[in-house]
């Protein structure tokens, strides 16, 4: 070999070395597992009934952030799913509830009249993430890999599949209870992949009724996730992919039967079994230590007030929709010449009808103050806040901060109320046995946050962490930019390993 050839060989080798050095080390697959309505203490309440290969495996071999809180109000499903994957809050991502009002119009968080159902002929597929204003982990992963990564969301609830998957997702699949199958929308594709059609045929009729109300719905969700893993070859293609899974049945069952009941117990024990099975599949298909998984929840749940009252613990129910109706009537007595001045109530927030207030020649601030004065007379309500001026409210700082993070001027309403502890918005009846959520309190805002797998150290921390820290932690580990409205910070005990 002459000198020139040796020099050329050295150049090629140097370039190859630089290329190898420049390669970013990433896991083969990122898996998000959100359990709808899972209180943090459920990690331990079922500890003696969990098996060794599900939740316990995550706790034993992963890293648990034991003091993870939701930093905003209200604590509801759509906001929780959006906030985990965007790393921000309603103030920035714009998902202000499962339903909220825009210009006096009640909108559903994922409703989209411009798209059609794919997989059924019902309206349940007319969904997309178009109301969400921020990017997600999956969107940023797509950008970082020049859109070679695959991102898929799966859940029984449409919002729990759509919002985590993000805007640029390859697919989101959710259950159409009218058709009895998984569907998507034309936002993602015009025809179901053959494997989804095959899955639907195989499982059609497996569950009688709505799977969101049955532990079998947990199994169905994991079955669909495994089918996506197999057929889309997620984490098996030489690119880092992402699979966002949400378990919805725990929420449906929890609302109906409450916490610490046989029905809810069955749902969580089924989740533990199916999680163990799913982890075994990931180990076999992707490889132990080759995937990064996190487990969290969109919100918690209050204990049933009738149960608490039996044990002398102050609690109660507040029928917020009745309060909204009475407030509307009260304002009518003050301003008989005006049309309806209250658009509605949603998740501890009251929306005033700005257009009707203006038509009547009234001041928005005047009507707001009249409404707030009336609401303060309700002995179930502890604080009534001018939402637009929440930063100056005379309330504990922790509540003030969560109000500010939950406020979006176009979508979040005009008046926020904070009920007394353990008084939550639901039916107020002596035979009520269910539960709900939405408040700032720890029972609704303290959620599990466990990381497991690729480069995750064993351990735990009790330092304050937040739901919005999950996205920047994942992104830091992947060496990609955090979502474009991210407010959280990477959890360094995990990301710096």
């Amino acid at each position: 070999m002459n000198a020139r050839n040796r020099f050329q060989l050295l150049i090629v080798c140097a370039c190859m070395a630089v290329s190898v050095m420049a390669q970013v080390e990433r896991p083969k697959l990122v898996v998000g597992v959100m359990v709808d309505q899972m209180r943090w203490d459920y990690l331990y309440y079922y500890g003696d009934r969990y098996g060794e290969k599900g939740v316990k495996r995550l706790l034993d071999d992963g890293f648990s952030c034991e003091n993870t809180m939701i930093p905003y109000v209200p604590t509801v499903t759509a906001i929780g799913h959006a906030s985990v994957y965007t790393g921000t809050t309603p103030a920035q991502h714009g998902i202000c509830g499962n339903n909220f009002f825009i210009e006096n119009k009640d909108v559903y968080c994922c409703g989209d009249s411009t798209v059609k159902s794919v997989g059924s002929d019902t309206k349940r597929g007319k969904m997309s993430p178009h109301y969400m204003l921020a990017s997600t982990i999956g969107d940023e992963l797509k950008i970082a890999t020049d859109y070679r990564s695959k991102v898929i969301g799966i859940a029984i609830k449409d919002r729990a599949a759509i919002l985590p998957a993000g805007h640029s997702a390859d697919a989101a699949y959710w259950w159409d209870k009218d058709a009895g199958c998984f569907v998507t929308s034309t936002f993602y594709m015009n025809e179901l992949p053959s494997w989804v059609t095959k899955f639907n045929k195989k499982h059609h009729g497996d569950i009688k009724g709505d799977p969101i109300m049955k532990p079998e719905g947990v199994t169905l969700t994991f079955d669909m996730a495994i089918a996506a893993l197999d057929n889309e070859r997620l984490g098996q293609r030489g690119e880092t992919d992402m699979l966002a899974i949400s378990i919805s049945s725990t929420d449906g069952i929890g609302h109906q039967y409450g916490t610490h009941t046989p029905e809810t117990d069955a749902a969580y024990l089924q989740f533990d079994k199916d999680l163990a099975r799913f982890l075994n599949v990931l180990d076999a298909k992707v490889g132990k230590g080759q995937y990064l998984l996190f487990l969290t929840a969109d919100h918690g749940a209050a204990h049933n007030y009738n149960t608490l009252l039996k044990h002398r613990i102050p609690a109660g129910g507040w029928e917020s929709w009745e309060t909204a109706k009475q407030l509307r009537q009260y304002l009518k007595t003050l301003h008989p010449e005006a049309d309806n001045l209250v658009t509605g109530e949603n998740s501890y927030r009251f929306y005033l009808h700005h257009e009707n207030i203006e038509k009547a020649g009234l001041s928005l601030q005047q009507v707001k103050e009249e409404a707030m004065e009336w609401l303060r007379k309700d002995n179930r309500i502890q604080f009534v806040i001018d939402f637009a001026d929440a930063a100056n409210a005379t309330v504990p700082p922790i509540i003030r901060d969560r109000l500010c993070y939950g406020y979006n001027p176009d979508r979040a309403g005009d008046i926020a109320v904070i009920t007394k502890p353990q008084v939550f918005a639901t039916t107020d009846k002596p035979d009520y046995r269910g539960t709900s959520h939405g408040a700032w309190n720890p029972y609704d805002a303290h959620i599990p946050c466990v990381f497991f797998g690729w480069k995750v150290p064993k351990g735990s921390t009790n330092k304050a962490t937040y739901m919005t820290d999950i996205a920047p932690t994942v992104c830091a580990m992947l060496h990609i930019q955090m979502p474009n409205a991210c407010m959280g910070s990477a959890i360094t005990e995990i990301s710096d390993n």
Side-chain angles (χ1 to χ4, degrees):
M1 182 182 293
N2 58 35
R4 179 171 179 168
N5 288 340
R6 284 198 300 271
F7 178 74
Q8 289 176 336
L9 180 61
L10 285 171
I11 293 294
V12 170
C13 291
C15 289
M16 290 175 63
V18 170
S19 176
V20 169
M21 290 174 63
Q23 286 180 356
V24 178
E25 190 178 6
R26 292 181 179 133
K28 294 179 179 180
L29 180 66
V30 179
V31 181
V33 179
M34 292 191 71
V35 185
D36 203 319
Q37 204 183 116
M38 186 177 186
R39 294 167 52 106
W40 162 80
D41 55 359
Y42 284 175
L43 290 174
Y44 304 101
Y45 176 73
Y46 295 107
D48 61 343
R49 287 180 279 177
Y50 285 146
E52 297 298 321
K53 303 299 184 181
V55 174
K56 282 186 177 179
R57 181 182 173 191
L58 298 188
L59 291 173
D60 290 343
D61 297 336
F63 192 96
S64 180
C65 301
E66 297 282 277
N67 190 23
T68 300
M69 306 297 289
I70 296 174
Y72 56 80
V73 289
T75 49
V76 298
T77 296
I79 304 178
H81 282 81
S83 296
V84 163
Y85 284 86
T86 63
T88 191
T89 70
Q92 286 287 297
H93 62 55
I95 300 299
C96 291
N98 299 333
N99 288 79
F100 46 93
F101 294 90
I102 299 178
E103 296 180 347
N104 302 307
K105 180 184 177 183
D106 186 3
V107 302
Y108 176 62
C109 60
C110 293
D112 189 347
S113 61
T114 69
V115 301
K116 297 179 180 179
S117 299
V118 175
S120 76
D121 294 325
T122 79
K123 64 180 181 180
R124 295 190 179 277
K126 295 173 71 64
M127 305 288 172
S128 83
H130 74 115
Y131 283 122
M132 186 165 63
L133 306 177
S135 69
T136 62
I137 301 169
D139 292 329
E140 297 301 329
L141 178 60
K142 284 273 195 179
I143 294 169
T145 62
D146 292 324
Y147 302 92
R148 294 186 300 272
S149 294
K150 284 186 179 181
V151 177
I152 294 175
I154 292 171
I156 299 296
K157 291 183 182 179
D158 50 67
R159 56 187 179 270
I162 293 168
L163 299 174
H167 301 277
S168 63
D170 296 88
Y173 300 108
W174 56 94
W175 187 259
D176 183 333
K177 67 178 182 180
D178 294 332
C181 62
F182 277 100
V183 299
T184 188
S185 82
T186 52
F187 178 85
Y188 304 98
M189 62 190 73
N190 293 317
E191 185 178 356
L192 284 181
S194 59
W195 70 264
V196 178
T197 301
K198 182 179 178 181
F199 181 93
N200 283 335
K201 288 180 179 178
K202 180 180 178 181
H203 292 275
H204 187 75
D206 280 0
I207 301 175
K208 303 300 181 184
D210 190 348
I212 202 171
M213 297 304 300
K214 299 174 181 293
E216 293 91 335
V218 178
T219 303
L220 179 67
T221 305
F222 274 113
D223 285 346
M224 182 64 172
I226 292 169
L229 187 76
D230 286 342
N231 290 279
E232 299 290 349
R233 300 190 66 247
L234 300 177
Q236 304 160 67
R237 307 177 307 107
E239 293 288 347
T240 299
D241 297 320
M242 184 164 194
L243 178 59
I245 306 165
S246 184
I247 306 303
S248 306
S249 302
T250 44
D251 184 70
I253 293 168
H255 274 291
Q256 182 71 27
Y257 298 104
T259 63
H260 297 193
T261 62
E263 295 85 356
T264 298
D265 293 355
Y268 280 93
L269 297 181
Q270 187 62 53
F271 166 70
D272 182 60
K273 292 177 183 176
D274 285 322
L275 175 63
R277 175 170 63 96
F278 181 60
L279 292 174
N280 285 336
V281 172
L282 289 174
D283 290 344
K285 297 285 185 179
V286 183
K288 285 187 177 181
Q290 298 301 307
Y291 57 90
L292 171 63
L293 181 146
F294 62 85
L295 168 71
T296 190
D298 52 348
H299 54 74
H303 293 306
N304 178 270
Y305 57 78
N306 285 317
T307 301
L308 295 176
L309 289 170
K310 289 177 183 177
H311 296 274
R312 302 183 301 280
I313 298 173
W318 173 54
E319 296 184 343
S320 57
W321 58 93
E322 287 296 331
T323 300
K325 186 186 302 182
Q326 293 164 12
L327 175 59
R328 188 177 294 116
Q329 293 168 349
Y330 171 72
L331 292 176
K332 186 66 175 177
T333 64
L334 296 183
H335 307 288
E337 76 287 357
D339 292 332
N340 172 32
L341 299 181
V342 180
T343 300
E345 182 275 339
N346 183 281
S347 299
Y348 303 87
R349 302 162 303 177
F350 292 85
Y351 291 75
L352 299 179
H353 200 301
H354 294 204
E355 184 179 345
N356 286 349
I357 290 172
E358 185 177 355
K359 282 182 180 179
L362 300 172
S363 158
L364 174 61
Q365 193 61 35
Q366 173 194 348
V367 175
K368 190 185 297 185
E369 289 173 358
E370 291 168 346
M372 290 170 64
E373 181 181 2
W374 182 85
L375 286 166
R376 288 191 181 103
K377 297 176 182 177
D378 190 328
N379 62 12
R380 296 161 297 185
I381 295 174
Q382 195 165 37
F383 299 109
V384 180
I385 301 100
D386 181 340
F387 216 170
D389 194 38
N392 296 311
T394 309
V395 298
I398 189 173
I399 297 176
R400 185 174 62 237
D401 289 347
R402 293 181 188 190
L403 286 164
C404 290
Y405 282 124
Y407 179 67
N408 182 295
D410 299 321
R411 302 181 178 191
D414 299 283
I415 300 169
V417 300
I418 303 295
T419 53
K420 292 178 179 178
Q422 288 292 167
V423 175
F424 57 94
T426 191
T427 299
D428 186 11
K429 294 181 179 179
D431 61 348
Y432 176 70
R433 61 176 296 201
T435 189
S436 194
H437 51 85
W440 74 273
N441 308 72
Y443 45 81
D444 285 349
H446 191 185
I447 57 173
C449 175
V450 185
F451 284 81
F452 173 83
W454 188 79
K455 291 189 178 295
V456 175
K458 295 182 182 181
S460 65
T461 181
N462 279 304
K463 85 170 190 179
T465 52
Y466 298 94
M467 170 187 273
T468 47
D469 294 336
I470 294 172
T473 301
V474 172
C475 291
M477 296 181 76
L478 298 182
H479 298 285
I480 63 175
Q481 184 59 274
M482 63 185 69
N484 59 22
C486 185
M487 294 180 178
S489 300
I491 303 166
T492 54
E493 292 91 338
I494 300 168
S495 65
D496 287 0
N497 286 274

